[in-house]
Amino acid sequence: MSARLGRFTRPVLLLWGTGDRFFTLPLARRLAAAFPDARLVEVEGGHTFLPLDEPGRVASEISTFLVPA
């Protein structure tokens, strides 16, 4: 993983499917740890193409991330 990711200081949202066999949760956690301000959201049963698997959930998470309550 690139050490340069740690230089990105903006908030990062990672939506990750728990059912993805190729991009596993340990990878998601490592990626989240590489950023100083990252939020990892695990989408239960989601796979690689979350916008197709869970479009409502993706839209809701992005909306919440961009416009916090």
Short mmCIF file of all heavy atoms in Angstrom, two decimals:
data_model
loop_
_atom_site.label_atom_id
_atom_site.label_comp_id
_atom_site.label_asym_id
_atom_site.label_seq_id
_atom_site.Cartn_x
_atom_site.Cartn_y
_atom_site.Cartn_z
N MET A 1 0.84 -1.17 0.00
CA MET A 1 0.00 0.00 0.00
C MET A 1 0.90 1.24 0.00
O MET A 1 1.91 1.28 0.67
CB MET A 1 -0.89 -0.04 1.23
CG MET A 1 -2.04 0.87 1.10
SD MET A 1 -3.60 0.37 1.86
CE MET A 1 -3.74 -1.35 1.65
N SER A 2 0.50 2.23 -0.71
CA SER A 2 1.31 3.43 -0.85
C SER A 2 1.36 4.24 0.44
O SER A 2 0.34 4.50 1.08
CB SER A 2 0.73 4.31 -1.96
OG SER A 2 1.44 5.54 -2.02
N ALA A 3 2.55 4.62 0.82
CA ALA A 3 2.73 5.47 2.00
C ALA A 3 2.16 6.86 1.77
O ALA A 3 1.90 7.59 2.73
CB ALA A 3 4.21 5.54 2.35
N ARG A 4 1.96 7.22 0.52
CA ARG A 4 1.43 8.56 0.20
C ARG A 4 -0.03 8.72 0.59
O ARG A 4 -0.51 9.84 0.71
CB ARG A 4 1.62 8.87 -1.28
CG ARG A 4 3.10 9.04 -1.64
CD ARG A 4 3.26 9.45 -3.05
NE ARG A 4 2.92 8.31 -3.91
CZ ARG A 4 2.87 8.36 -5.22
NH1 ARG A 4 3.11 9.49 -5.84
NH2 ARG A 4 2.57 7.29 -5.92
N LEU A 5 -0.74 7.63 0.81
CA LEU A 5 -2.14 7.75 1.20
C LEU A 5 -2.27 8.52 2.51
O LEU A 5 -3.24 9.25 2.71
CB LEU A 5 -2.78 6.37 1.33
CG LEU A 5 -2.88 5.54 0.06
CD1 LEU A 5 -3.49 4.18 0.37
CD2 LEU A 5 -3.70 6.26 -0.99
N GLY A 6 -1.32 8.37 3.38
CA GLY A 6 -1.34 9.07 4.67
C GLY A 6 -1.23 10.57 4.55
O GLY A 6 -1.54 11.30 5.49
N ARG A 7 -0.82 11.05 3.41
CA ARG A 7 -0.72 12.51 3.18
C ARG A 7 -2.06 13.12 2.79
O ARG A 7 -2.19 14.34 2.78
CB ARG A 7 0.30 12.79 2.08
CG ARG A 7 1.70 12.42 2.45
CD ARG A 7 2.65 12.89 1.38
NE ARG A 7 3.81 12.02 1.34
CZ ARG A 7 4.57 11.84 0.29
NH1 ARG A 7 4.30 12.45 -0.84
NH2 ARG A 7 5.62 11.05 0.35
N PHE A 8 -3.02 12.28 2.46
CA PHE A 8 -4.33 12.78 2.07
C PHE A 8 -5.10 13.09 3.35
O PHE A 8 -5.47 12.20 4.11
CB PHE A 8 -5.08 11.73 1.23
CG PHE A 8 -6.36 12.25 0.65
CD1 PHE A 8 -6.35 13.03 -0.49
CD2 PHE A 8 -7.57 11.95 1.26
CE1 PHE A 8 -7.53 13.52 -1.02
CE2 PHE A 8 -8.76 12.43 0.73
CZ PHE A 8 -8.73 13.21 -0.42
N THR A 9 -5.34 14.36 3.61
CA THR A 9 -5.88 14.78 4.90
C THR A 9 -7.39 15.00 4.91
O THR A 9 -7.95 15.31 5.95
CB THR A 9 -5.19 16.07 5.37
OG1 THR A 9 -5.39 17.09 4.38
CG2 THR A 9 -3.70 15.84 5.58
N ARG A 10 -8.03 14.82 3.79
CA ARG A 10 -9.49 15.00 3.74
C ARG A 10 -10.17 13.73 4.27
O ARG A 10 -9.59 12.65 4.26
CB ARG A 10 -9.93 15.23 2.29
CG ARG A 10 -9.26 16.40 1.64
CD ARG A 10 -9.78 17.66 2.17
NE ARG A 10 -10.21 18.48 1.04
CZ ARG A 10 -10.80 19.62 1.20
NH1 ARG A 10 -11.05 20.08 2.39
NH2 ARG A 10 -11.13 20.34 0.17
N PRO A 11 -11.42 13.86 4.69
CA PRO A 11 -12.15 12.67 5.13
C PRO A 11 -12.35 11.68 3.98
O PRO A 11 -12.55 12.08 2.83
CB PRO A 11 -13.50 13.23 5.59
CG PRO A 11 -13.27 14.67 5.84
CD PRO A 11 -12.18 15.09 4.89
N VAL A 12 -12.29 10.41 4.30
CA VAL A 12 -12.44 9.33 3.32
C VAL A 12 -13.53 8.39 3.80
O VAL A 12 -13.56 8.00 4.96
CB VAL A 12 -11.11 8.55 3.17
CG1 VAL A 12 -11.28 7.34 2.28
CG2 VAL A 12 -10.01 9.46 2.64
N LEU A 13 -14.43 8.04 2.89
CA LEU A 13 -15.47 7.05 3.18
C LEU A 13 -15.18 5.81 2.36
O LEU A 13 -15.06 5.88 1.13
CB LEU A 13 -16.85 7.59 2.82
CG LEU A 13 -18.01 6.61 2.93
CD1 LEU A 13 -18.22 6.18 4.38
CD2 LEU A 13 -19.28 7.23 2.35
N LEU A 14 -15.07 4.68 3.03
CA LEU A 14 -14.87 3.40 2.36
C LEU A 14 -16.10 2.54 2.63
O LEU A 14 -16.40 2.22 3.78
CB LEU A 14 -13.63 2.69 2.90
CG LEU A 14 -12.30 3.41 2.70
CD1 LEU A 14 -11.23 2.75 3.54
CD2 LEU A 14 -11.92 3.40 1.24
N LEU A 15 -16.81 2.19 1.58
CA LEU A 15 -17.94 1.28 1.69
C LEU A 15 -17.46 -0.08 1.20
O LEU A 15 -16.97 -0.19 0.07
CB LEU A 15 -19.11 1.75 0.83
CG LEU A 15 -19.74 3.07 1.24
CD1 LEU A 15 -20.77 3.51 0.21
CD2 LEU A 15 -20.38 2.96 2.59
N TRP A 16 -17.60 -1.10 2.03
CA TRP A 16 -17.00 -2.38 1.69
C TRP A 16 -17.99 -3.50 1.93
O TRP A 16 -18.58 -3.60 3.01
CB TRP A 16 -15.78 -2.61 2.57
CG TRP A 16 -14.65 -3.28 1.86
CD1 TRP A 16 -14.44 -4.62 1.75
CD2 TRP A 16 -13.58 -2.66 1.16
NE1 TRP A 16 -13.31 -4.88 1.02
CE2 TRP A 16 -12.76 -3.67 0.66
CE3 TRP A 16 -13.23 -1.34 0.92
CZ2 TRP A 16 -11.61 -3.41 -0.07
CZ3 TRP A 16 -12.09 -1.08 0.18
CH2 TRP A 16 -11.30 -2.10 -0.30
N GLY A 17 -18.16 -4.36 0.96
CA GLY A 17 -19.06 -5.49 1.09
C GLY A 17 -18.42 -6.63 1.87
O GLY A 17 -17.31 -7.04 1.56
N THR A 18 -19.15 -7.13 2.84
CA THR A 18 -18.61 -8.23 3.65
C THR A 18 -18.58 -9.55 2.88
O THR A 18 -17.87 -10.47 3.27
CB THR A 18 -19.44 -8.43 4.94
OG1 THR A 18 -20.78 -8.77 4.57
CG2 THR A 18 -19.42 -7.19 5.80
N GLY A 19 -19.32 -9.63 1.78
CA GLY A 19 -19.36 -10.86 1.00
C GLY A 19 -18.40 -10.86 -0.18
O GLY A 19 -18.43 -11.79 -1.00
N ASP A 20 -17.54 -9.86 -0.28
CA ASP A 20 -16.60 -9.78 -1.40
C ASP A 20 -15.48 -10.79 -1.19
O ASP A 20 -14.75 -10.73 -0.21
CB ASP A 20 -16.03 -8.37 -1.51
CG ASP A 20 -15.36 -8.11 -2.84
OD1 ASP A 20 -14.69 -9.02 -3.36
OD2 ASP A 20 -15.51 -7.00 -3.36
N ARG A 21 -15.34 -11.72 -2.13
CA ARG A 21 -14.31 -12.76 -2.01
C ARG A 21 -12.94 -12.30 -2.48
O ARG A 21 -11.93 -12.90 -2.14
CB ARG A 21 -14.71 -13.99 -2.80
CG ARG A 21 -15.96 -14.65 -2.27
CD ARG A 21 -16.34 -15.85 -3.07
NE ARG A 21 -16.31 -15.52 -4.50
CZ ARG A 21 -16.58 -16.35 -5.47
NH1 ARG A 21 -16.88 -17.59 -5.20
NH2 ARG A 21 -16.55 -15.96 -6.72
N PHE A 22 -12.89 -11.24 -3.27
CA PHE A 22 -11.62 -10.79 -3.83
C PHE A 22 -11.02 -9.63 -3.04
O PHE A 22 -9.82 -9.59 -2.79
CB PHE A 22 -11.79 -10.41 -5.30
CG PHE A 22 -12.29 -11.55 -6.13
CD1 PHE A 22 -13.60 -11.60 -6.53
CD2 PHE A 22 -11.45 -12.59 -6.47
CE1 PHE A 22 -14.08 -12.67 -7.28
CE2 PHE A 22 -11.90 -13.67 -7.20
CZ PHE A 22 -13.23 -13.71 -7.62
N PHE A 23 -11.86 -8.67 -2.68
CA PHE A 23 -11.42 -7.52 -1.90
C PHE A 23 -11.96 -7.72 -0.48
O PHE A 23 -13.06 -7.29 -0.15
CB PHE A 23 -11.92 -6.22 -2.53
CG PHE A 23 -11.41 -6.01 -3.91
CD1 PHE A 23 -12.22 -6.29 -5.01
CD2 PHE A 23 -10.12 -5.57 -4.14
CE1 PHE A 23 -11.75 -6.10 -6.30
CE2 PHE A 23 -9.63 -5.40 -5.42
CZ PHE A 23 -10.45 -5.66 -6.51
N THR A 24 -11.18 -8.38 0.34
CA THR A 24 -11.64 -8.84 1.64
C THR A 24 -11.60 -7.73 2.70
O THR A 24 -10.95 -6.70 2.51
CB THR A 24 -10.78 -10.02 2.10
OG1 THR A 24 -9.43 -9.58 2.22
CG2 THR A 24 -10.88 -11.19 1.13
N LEU A 25 -12.28 -7.97 3.81
CA LEU A 25 -12.31 -7.00 4.89
C LEU A 25 -10.93 -6.66 5.47
O LEU A 25 -10.68 -5.51 5.81
CB LEU A 25 -13.26 -7.45 5.99
CG LEU A 25 -14.73 -7.25 5.66
CD1 LEU A 25 -15.61 -7.86 6.75
CD2 LEU A 25 -15.06 -5.78 5.49
N PRO A 26 -10.02 -7.62 5.60
CA PRO A 26 -8.69 -7.23 6.07
C PRO A 26 -8.04 -6.18 5.16
O PRO A 26 -7.37 -5.26 5.65
CB PRO A 26 -7.90 -8.54 6.07
CG PRO A 26 -8.95 -9.59 6.31
CD PRO A 26 -10.16 -9.09 5.54
N LEU A 27 -8.25 -6.27 3.87
CA LEU A 27 -7.73 -5.26 2.95
C LEU A 27 -8.41 -3.92 3.22
O LEU A 27 -7.75 -2.87 3.25
CB LEU A 27 -7.95 -5.68 1.49
CG LEU A 27 -7.58 -4.63 0.44
CD1 LEU A 27 -6.11 -4.26 0.54
CD2 LEU A 27 -7.92 -5.13 -0.94
N ALA A 28 -9.71 -3.93 3.43
CA ALA A 28 -10.44 -2.70 3.72
C ALA A 28 -9.91 -2.03 4.98
O ALA A 28 -9.73 -0.81 5.02
CB ALA A 28 -11.93 -2.99 3.86
N ARG A 29 -9.66 -2.83 5.98
CA ARG A 29 -9.15 -2.28 7.25
C ARG A 29 -7.75 -1.70 7.09
O ARG A 29 -7.44 -0.67 7.68
CB ARG A 29 -9.20 -3.36 8.32
CG ARG A 29 -10.64 -3.72 8.68
CD ARG A 29 -10.73 -4.79 9.75
NE ARG A 29 -12.12 -5.15 9.93
CZ ARG A 29 -12.60 -6.37 9.79
NH1 ARG A 29 -11.79 -7.37 9.48
NH2 ARG A 29 -13.88 -6.61 9.97
N ARG A 30 -6.92 -2.37 6.31
CA ARG A 30 -5.57 -1.83 6.04
C ARG A 30 -5.67 -0.52 5.28
O ARG A 30 -4.93 0.43 5.57
CB ARG A 30 -4.75 -2.84 5.23
CG ARG A 30 -4.21 -3.97 6.06
CD ARG A 30 -3.31 -4.93 5.31
NE ARG A 30 -2.58 -4.38 4.21
CZ ARG A 30 -2.45 -4.98 3.02
NH1 ARG A 30 -3.01 -6.14 2.78
NH2 ARG A 30 -1.74 -4.43 2.06
N LEU A 31 -6.56 -0.47 4.30
CA LEU A 31 -6.73 0.76 3.51
C LEU A 31 -7.24 1.88 4.41
O LEU A 31 -6.73 3.00 4.35
CB LEU A 31 -7.69 0.51 2.36
CG LEU A 31 -7.89 1.64 1.36
CD1 LEU A 31 -6.57 2.06 0.74
CD2 LEU A 31 -8.87 1.20 0.28
N ALA A 32 -8.21 1.60 5.24
CA ALA A 32 -8.74 2.62 6.15
C ALA A 32 -7.65 3.13 7.09
O ALA A 32 -7.58 4.32 7.38
CB ALA A 32 -9.91 2.07 6.94
N ALA A 33 -6.80 2.24 7.56
CA ALA A 33 -5.73 2.62 8.47
C ALA A 33 -4.67 3.48 7.79
O ALA A 33 -3.95 4.23 8.46
CB ALA A 33 -5.09 1.38 9.08
N ALA A 34 -4.58 3.40 6.48
CA ALA A 34 -3.58 4.17 5.73
C ALA A 34 -3.93 5.65 5.66
O ALA A 34 -3.05 6.49 5.45
CB ALA A 34 -3.41 3.60 4.33
N PHE A 35 -5.21 5.98 5.82
CA PHE A 35 -5.65 7.37 5.76
C PHE A 35 -5.79 7.92 7.18
O PHE A 35 -6.27 7.22 8.07
CB PHE A 35 -7.01 7.48 5.06
CG PHE A 35 -6.98 7.21 3.59
CD1 PHE A 35 -7.35 5.98 3.09
CD2 PHE A 35 -6.57 8.19 2.70
CE1 PHE A 35 -7.33 5.72 1.74
CE2 PHE A 35 -6.54 7.95 1.35
CZ PHE A 35 -6.92 6.71 0.86
N PRO A 36 -5.42 9.19 7.37
CA PRO A 36 -5.55 9.76 8.72
C PRO A 36 -7.00 9.99 9.16
O PRO A 36 -7.28 10.03 10.34
CB PRO A 36 -4.79 11.09 8.64
CG PRO A 36 -4.59 11.38 7.20
CD PRO A 36 -4.74 10.09 6.45
N ASP A 37 -7.92 10.14 8.21
CA ASP A 37 -9.32 10.42 8.56
C ASP A 37 -10.24 9.59 7.68
O ASP A 37 -10.89 10.10 6.77
CB ASP A 37 -9.60 11.92 8.38
CG ASP A 37 -10.98 12.32 8.87
OD1 ASP A 37 -11.67 11.49 9.52
OD2 ASP A 37 -11.39 13.46 8.60
N ALA A 38 -10.29 8.29 7.97
CA ALA A 38 -11.10 7.39 7.15
C ALA A 38 -12.20 6.76 7.99
O ALA A 38 -12.01 6.49 9.18
CB ALA A 38 -10.24 6.30 6.54
N ARG A 39 -13.32 6.54 7.34
CA ARG A 39 -14.43 5.83 7.96
C ARG A 39 -14.76 4.63 7.09
O ARG A 39 -15.05 4.78 5.91
CB ARG A 39 -15.64 6.75 8.06
CG ARG A 39 -16.81 6.10 8.75
CD ARG A 39 -17.91 7.11 8.99
NE ARG A 39 -19.17 6.40 8.86
CZ ARG A 39 -20.21 6.80 8.16
NH1 ARG A 39 -20.16 7.94 7.52
NH2 ARG A 39 -21.29 6.09 8.10
N LEU A 40 -14.71 3.45 7.68
CA LEU A 40 -15.01 2.21 6.97
C LEU A 40 -16.41 1.77 7.34
O LEU A 40 -16.72 1.61 8.53
CB LEU A 40 -14.00 1.12 7.33
CG LEU A 40 -14.28 -0.28 6.79
CD1 LEU A 40 -14.31 -0.29 5.27
CD2 LEU A 40 -13.26 -1.26 7.34
N VAL A 41 -17.26 1.58 6.34
CA VAL A 41 -18.61 1.08 6.55
C VAL A 41 -18.68 -0.30 5.91
O VAL A 41 -18.48 -0.43 4.70
CB VAL A 41 -19.67 2.02 5.93
CG1 VAL A 41 -21.06 1.43 6.06
CG2 VAL A 41 -19.59 3.39 6.57
N GLU A 42 -18.94 -1.29 6.72
CA GLU A 42 -19.07 -2.66 6.22
C GLU A 42 -20.52 -2.90 5.85
O GLU A 42 -21.41 -2.76 6.68
CB GLU A 42 -18.61 -3.65 7.29
CG GLU A 42 -17.15 -3.49 7.65
CD GLU A 42 -16.71 -4.44 8.73
OE1 GLU A 42 -17.44 -5.40 9.07
OE2 GLU A 42 -15.60 -4.22 9.28
N VAL A 43 -20.74 -3.26 4.59
CA VAL A 43 -22.09 -3.53 4.10
C VAL A 43 -22.30 -5.03 4.10
O VAL A 43 -21.71 -5.75 3.28
CB VAL A 43 -22.29 -2.91 2.69
CG1 VAL A 43 -23.68 -3.22 2.17
CG2 VAL A 43 -22.03 -1.41 2.73
N GLU A 44 -23.12 -5.47 5.02
CA GLU A 44 -23.36 -6.91 5.22
C GLU A 44 -23.89 -7.55 3.93
O GLU A 44 -24.88 -7.11 3.36
CB GLU A 44 -24.37 -7.12 6.35
CG GLU A 44 -24.47 -8.53 6.82
CD GLU A 44 -23.20 -9.01 7.50
OE1 GLU A 44 -22.57 -8.22 8.21
OE2 GLU A 44 -22.84 -10.19 7.30
N GLY A 45 -23.17 -8.59 3.47
CA GLY A 45 -23.60 -9.33 2.29
C GLY A 45 -23.27 -8.68 0.96
O GLY A 45 -23.50 -9.27 -0.08
N GLY A 46 -22.73 -7.47 0.98
CA GLY A 46 -22.39 -6.78 -0.26
C GLY A 46 -21.20 -7.42 -0.94
O GLY A 46 -20.39 -8.11 -0.30
N HIS A 47 -21.09 -7.22 -2.23
CA HIS A 47 -19.97 -7.78 -3.00
C HIS A 47 -19.18 -6.65 -3.64
O HIS A 47 -19.25 -5.51 -3.19
CB HIS A 47 -20.50 -8.77 -4.03
CG HIS A 47 -21.12 -9.97 -3.39
ND1 HIS A 47 -22.45 -10.03 -3.07
CD2 HIS A 47 -20.58 -11.15 -2.97
CE1 HIS A 47 -22.71 -11.18 -2.49
NE2 HIS A 47 -21.59 -11.88 -2.42
N THR A 48 -18.45 -6.95 -4.68
CA THR A 48 -17.55 -5.99 -5.30
C THR A 48 -18.27 -4.75 -5.82
O THR A 48 -17.77 -3.64 -5.66
CB THR A 48 -16.77 -6.66 -6.46
OG1 THR A 48 -16.09 -7.80 -5.94
CG2 THR A 48 -15.76 -5.70 -7.06
N PHE A 49 -19.41 -4.92 -6.41
CA PHE A 49 -20.11 -3.79 -7.03
C PHE A 49 -21.26 -3.33 -6.14
O PHE A 49 -22.43 -3.53 -6.44
CB PHE A 49 -20.60 -4.17 -8.42
CG PHE A 49 -19.48 -4.53 -9.34
CD1 PHE A 49 -19.27 -5.85 -9.71
CD2 PHE A 49 -18.61 -3.56 -9.81
CE1 PHE A 49 -18.22 -6.20 -10.54
CE2 PHE A 49 -17.55 -3.90 -10.64
CZ PHE A 49 -17.35 -5.21 -11.01
N LEU A 50 -20.92 -2.72 -5.03
CA LEU A 50 -21.92 -2.28 -4.06
C LEU A 50 -23.01 -1.39 -4.66
O LEU A 50 -24.17 -1.51 -4.27
CB LEU A 50 -21.26 -1.56 -2.89
CG LEU A 50 -20.62 -2.46 -1.86
CD1 LEU A 50 -19.95 -1.63 -0.77
CD2 LEU A 50 -21.62 -3.41 -1.25
N PRO A 51 -22.68 -0.48 -5.58
CA PRO A 51 -23.76 0.34 -6.15
C PRO A 51 -24.83 -0.49 -6.85
O PRO A 51 -25.98 -0.07 -6.94
CB PRO A 51 -23.04 1.27 -7.13
CG PRO A 51 -21.65 1.36 -6.60
CD PRO A 51 -21.37 -0.01 -6.03
N LEU A 52 -24.47 -1.66 -7.34
CA LEU A 52 -25.46 -2.54 -7.95
C LEU A 52 -26.15 -3.43 -6.92
O LEU A 52 -27.34 -3.69 -7.00
CB LEU A 52 -24.80 -3.43 -9.01
CG LEU A 52 -24.18 -2.71 -10.21
CD1 LEU A 52 -23.51 -3.71 -11.13
CD2 LEU A 52 -25.23 -1.92 -10.95
N ASP A 53 -25.38 -3.89 -5.93
CA ASP A 53 -25.92 -4.78 -4.89
C ASP A 53 -26.83 -4.03 -3.92
O ASP A 53 -27.87 -4.53 -3.52
CB ASP A 53 -24.80 -5.41 -4.07
CG ASP A 53 -23.92 -6.36 -4.86
OD1 ASP A 53 -24.35 -6.81 -5.93
OD2 ASP A 53 -22.79 -6.63 -4.39
N GLU A 54 -26.41 -2.86 -3.50
CA GLU A 54 -27.08 -2.11 -2.44
C GLU A 54 -27.15 -0.62 -2.78
O GLU A 54 -26.60 0.22 -2.06
CB GLU A 54 -26.32 -2.28 -1.12
CG GLU A 54 -26.24 -3.70 -0.62
CD GLU A 54 -27.54 -4.15 0.01
OE1 GLU A 54 -28.36 -3.29 0.37
OE2 GLU A 54 -27.72 -5.37 0.14
N PRO A 55 -27.82 -0.24 -3.87
CA PRO A 55 -27.81 1.17 -4.28
C PRO A 55 -28.37 2.13 -3.24
O PRO A 55 -27.82 3.22 -3.03
CB PRO A 55 -28.63 1.19 -5.56
CG PRO A 55 -29.45 -0.05 -5.52
CD PRO A 55 -28.65 -1.06 -4.74
N GLY A 56 -29.42 1.73 -2.56
CA GLY A 56 -30.00 2.60 -1.53
C GLY A 56 -29.05 2.82 -0.37
O GLY A 56 -28.92 3.94 0.14
N ARG A 57 -28.40 1.77 0.04
CA ARG A 57 -27.44 1.87 1.15
C ARG A 57 -26.26 2.74 0.77
O ARG A 57 -25.81 3.58 1.56
CB ARG A 57 -26.97 0.46 1.54
CG ARG A 57 -25.90 0.41 2.61
CD ARG A 57 -26.47 0.67 3.99
NE ARG A 57 -25.47 0.79 5.02
CZ ARG A 57 -24.95 -0.22 5.71
NH1 ARG A 57 -25.37 -1.44 5.48
NH2 ARG A 57 -24.05 0.02 6.62
N VAL A 58 -25.76 2.57 -0.44
CA VAL A 58 -24.63 3.38 -0.91
C VAL A 58 -25.02 4.85 -0.93
O VAL A 58 -24.30 5.71 -0.42
CB VAL A 58 -24.14 2.90 -2.29
CG1 VAL A 58 -23.16 3.89 -2.90
CG2 VAL A 58 -23.50 1.52 -2.19
N ALA A 59 -26.17 5.15 -1.49
CA ALA A 59 -26.64 6.54 -1.56
C ALA A 59 -26.81 7.13 -0.17
O ALA A 59 -26.41 8.28 0.10
CB ALA A 59 -27.94 6.62 -2.34
N SER A 60 -27.38 6.36 0.74
CA SER A 60 -27.60 6.83 2.10
C SER A 60 -26.28 7.11 2.83
O SER A 60 -26.13 8.14 3.49
CB SER A 60 -28.41 5.78 2.88
OG SER A 60 -28.54 6.16 4.21
N GLU A 61 -25.32 6.21 2.69
CA GLU A 61 -24.03 6.39 3.35
C GLU A 61 -23.28 7.60 2.80
O GLU A 61 -22.68 8.36 3.56
CB GLU A 61 -23.17 5.13 3.23
CG GLU A 61 -23.70 3.93 3.98
CD GLU A 61 -23.65 4.08 5.50
OE1 GLU A 61 -22.95 4.97 6.02
OE2 GLU A 61 -24.33 3.28 6.16
N ILE A 62 -23.33 7.78 1.48
CA ILE A 62 -22.66 8.94 0.88
C ILE A 62 -23.34 10.22 1.34
O ILE A 62 -22.67 11.20 1.69
CB ILE A 62 -22.64 8.82 -0.65
CG1 ILE A 62 -21.73 7.69 -1.10
CG2 ILE A 62 -22.20 10.15 -1.28
CD1 ILE A 62 -21.79 7.36 -2.57
N SER A 63 -24.65 10.23 1.36
CA SER A 63 -25.39 11.40 1.79
C SER A 63 -25.05 11.76 3.24
O SER A 63 -24.79 12.93 3.56
CB SER A 63 -26.89 11.15 1.64
OG SER A 63 -27.62 12.25 2.11
N THR A 64 -25.02 10.77 4.10
CA THR A 64 -24.68 11.00 5.51
C THR A 64 -23.25 11.49 5.65
O THR A 64 -22.97 12.36 6.47
CB THR A 64 -24.88 9.69 6.32
OG1 THR A 64 -26.24 9.29 6.20
CG2 THR A 64 -24.51 9.88 7.77
N PHE A 65 -22.37 10.95 4.85
CA PHE A 65 -20.96 11.33 4.90
C PHE A 65 -20.78 12.79 4.46
O PHE A 65 -20.03 13.54 5.08
CB PHE A 65 -20.14 10.40 3.99
CG PHE A 65 -18.68 10.69 3.96
CD1 PHE A 65 -17.86 10.38 5.03
CD2 PHE A 65 -18.11 11.25 2.82
CE1 PHE A 65 -16.50 10.63 4.98
CE2 PHE A 65 -16.74 11.51 2.77
CZ PHE A 65 -15.94 11.19 3.86
N LEU A 66 -21.49 13.18 3.40
CA LEU A 66 -21.33 14.53 2.86
C LEU A 66 -22.06 15.59 3.68
O LEU A 66 -21.63 16.74 3.74
CB LEU A 66 -21.82 14.58 1.42
CG LEU A 66 -20.99 13.76 0.43
CD1 LEU A 66 -21.63 13.82 -0.96
CD2 LEU A 66 -19.56 14.27 0.38
N VAL A 67 -23.19 15.21 4.28
CA VAL A 67 -24.00 16.15 5.05
C VAL A 67 -24.28 15.51 6.40
O VAL A 67 -25.35 14.96 6.62
CB VAL A 67 -25.33 16.49 4.33
CG1 VAL A 67 -26.09 17.55 5.09
CG2 VAL A 67 -25.07 16.89 2.90
N PRO A 68 -23.32 15.57 7.33
CA PRO A 68 -23.51 14.93 8.63
C PRO A 68 -24.68 15.58 9.39
O PRO A 68 -24.95 16.76 9.23
CB PRO A 68 -22.19 15.13 9.36
CG PRO A 68 -21.33 15.95 8.48
CD PRO A 68 -22.05 16.22 7.21
N ALA A 69 -25.29 14.77 10.23
CA ALA A 69 -26.43 15.27 11.03
C ALA A 69 -26.01 16.26 12.07
O ALA A 69 -24.96 16.38 12.52
CB ALA A 69 -27.13 14.08 11.69
#
